[in-house]
Amino acid sequence: MSNHYNILILDDHLVVRKGIKLFLNDKFKSYNVYESEGYQSTLDLVARIQFDLIFLDININGIENIKIMKEVKEIQPNVKILVFSSHEEKQYGLRYIQNGADGFLNKFCSEEKMEIAVKQLFEKGYFYSDSLKEKLATTSKSNSNKNPLEKLSNREFEIAKLLVDGDGNLEIANKLDLKMSTVSTYKNRIFEKLKVMSIIGLADVFKENL
């Protein structure tokens, strides 16, 4: 990386932000790094400064905002977004890519993998693991074998995943700052879209399609 880059780190944990900065300082010399710990402050920065790469935690203070990627791209279409998340790629990677991310890394990845990801994002414009490439290729084929989970909106998918993980309506309402009645409405809509009658049936759909 011989050019000079502006890099933004969005994460609500100071330790994570400092860790990424140390990594950048060790591996890449020519860059300016900016930090943000919230969605609105990120949009404010993006409106003022031209960025080349954003390390983006999709879950800030317990709230997931998958729309942030499209909002950022509306302001800066050419910026590269690397989702840096504790979520598993198998369950969330494809959905994030389809919503504007240019790459996905799990927070527990090796330093070597992070270095490869950053280099590929600047050289190729994207960073996809082999399994993610395979999923992207599969979804680009005809819809005859379409994954039923793609019928769900981002919020529905998020709630469905929490249901499968064992959370009840009250726990989900508290985690997502929603009314219990709203969670119940989402749950009914999820069951209807996926044609299931129970959490067990919902879990089976996730097991078969993730």
Side-chain angles (χ1 to χ4, degrees), residues 183-194:
V183 175
S184 181
T185 299
Y186 271 116
K187 182 177 176 181
N188 291 336
R189 196 181 301 160
I190 290 163
F191 280 20
E192 184 179 339
K193 283 187 176 182
L194 299 181

Side-chain angles (χ1 to χ4, degrees), residues 89 113 127-137:
E89 178 188 273
K113 189 170 184 180
F127 171 73
Y128 306 146
S129 67
D130 289 340
S131 60
L132 201 48
K133 285 178 185 175
E134 191 176 320
K135 279 194 172 186
L136 284 166

Side-chain angles (χ1 to χ4, degrees), residues 36-90:
S36 171
E37 54 183 310
Y39 294 128
Q40 189 54 54
S41 59
T42 294
L43 293 174
D44 291 344
L45 281 167
V46 170
R48 292 190 293 107
I49 301 166
Q50 190 70 39
F51 289 103
D52 299 285
L53 173 64
I54 299 176
F55 278 82
L56 189 148
D57 185 352
I58 203 70
N59 197 306
I60 300 295
N61 296 319
I63 303 297
E64 182 182 58
N65 181 8
I66 202 164
K67 293 184 292 183
I68 186 68
M69 292 177 288
K70 288 183 176 178
E71 291 172 349
V72 166
K73 289 287 180 99
E74 283 176 4
I75 303 170
Q76 292 192 29
N78 296 323
V79 67
K80 301 305 173 189
I81 296 177
L82 176 64
V83 170
F84 194 57
S85 173
S86 55
H87 287 328
E88 292 182 22
E89 178 188 273
K90 180 182 177 184

Side-chain angles (χ1 to χ4, degrees), residues 11-209:
D11 199 288
D12 55 347
H13 293 99
L14 178 65
V15 172
V16 174
R17 297 198 304 273
K18 297 306 179 188
I20 296 174
K21 285 180 74 172
L22 284 171
F23 158 79
L24 291 170
N25 189 50
D26 181 45
K27 299 297 180 182
F28 310 109
K29 304 305 177 187
S30 300
Y31 70 92
N32 293 318
V33 65
Y34 299 80
E35 296 181 39
S36 171
E37 54 183 310
Y39 294 128
Q40 189 54 54
S41 59
T42 294
L43 293 174
D44 291 344
L45 281 167
V46 170
R48 292 190 293 107
I49 301 166
Q50 190 70 39
F51 289 103
D52 299 285
L53 173 64
I54 299 176
F55 278 82
L56 189 148
D57 185 352
I58 203 70
N59 197 306
I60 300 295
N61 296 319
I63 303 297
E64 182 182 58
N65 181 8
I66 202 164
K67 293 184 292 183
I68 186 68
M69 292 177 288
K70 288 183 176 178
E71 291 172 349
V72 166
K73 289 287 180 99
E74 283 176 4
I75 303 170
Q76 292 192 29
N78 296 323
V79 67
K80 301 305 173 189
I81 296 177
L82 176 64
V83 170
F84 194 57
S85 173
S86 55
H87 287 328
E88 292 182 22
E89 178 188 273
K90 180 182 177 184
Q91 295 175 334
Y92 287 88
L94 181 62
R95 186 168 285 262
Y96 293 153
I97 297 298
Q98 290 174 331
N99 279 273
D102 301 289
F104 179 93
L105 266 186
N106 186 278
K107 284 186 177 180
F108 302 106
C109 72
S110 67
E111 191 173 290
E112 180 184 11
K113 189 170 184 180
M114 193 187 300
E115 183 178 0
I116 291 170
V118 173
K119 284 181 176 178
Q120 283 197 14
L121 279 161
F122 283 119
E123 292 168 5
K124 298 182 178 179
Y126 64 87
F127 171 73
Y128 306 146
S129 67
D130 289 340
S131 60
L132 201 48
K133 285 178 185 175
E134 191 176 320
K135 279 194 172 186
L136 284 166
T138 302
T139 55
S140 67
K141 294 176 183 176
S142 76
N143 290 337
S144 58
N145 296 316
K146 190 172 182 180
N147 185 335
L149 293 176
E150 292 177 18
K151 298 176 184 176
L152 302 181
S153 69
N154 293 322
R155 179 61 99 182
E156 288 166 354
F157 181 85
E158 184 180 17
I159 290 173
K161 179 63 172 58
L162 290 171
L163 288 167
V164 169
D165 288 345
D167 287 346
N169 287 14
L170 179 59
E171 291 169 297
I172 294 171
N174 290 334
K175 282 184 178 180
L176 303 182
D177 195 24
L178 297 172
K179 294 180 180 178
M180 275 190 64
S181 59
T182 303
V183 175
S184 181
T185 299
Y186 271 116
K187 182 177 176 181
N188 291 336
R189 196 181 301 160
I190 290 163
F191 280 20
E192 184 179 339
K193 283 187 176 182
L194 299 181
K195 297 180 171 56
V196 298
M197 303 295 290
S198 65
I199 301 297
I200 294 173
L202 180 62
D204 287 340
V205 174
F206 266 73
K207 191 182 299 181
E208 291 168 6
N209 294 282

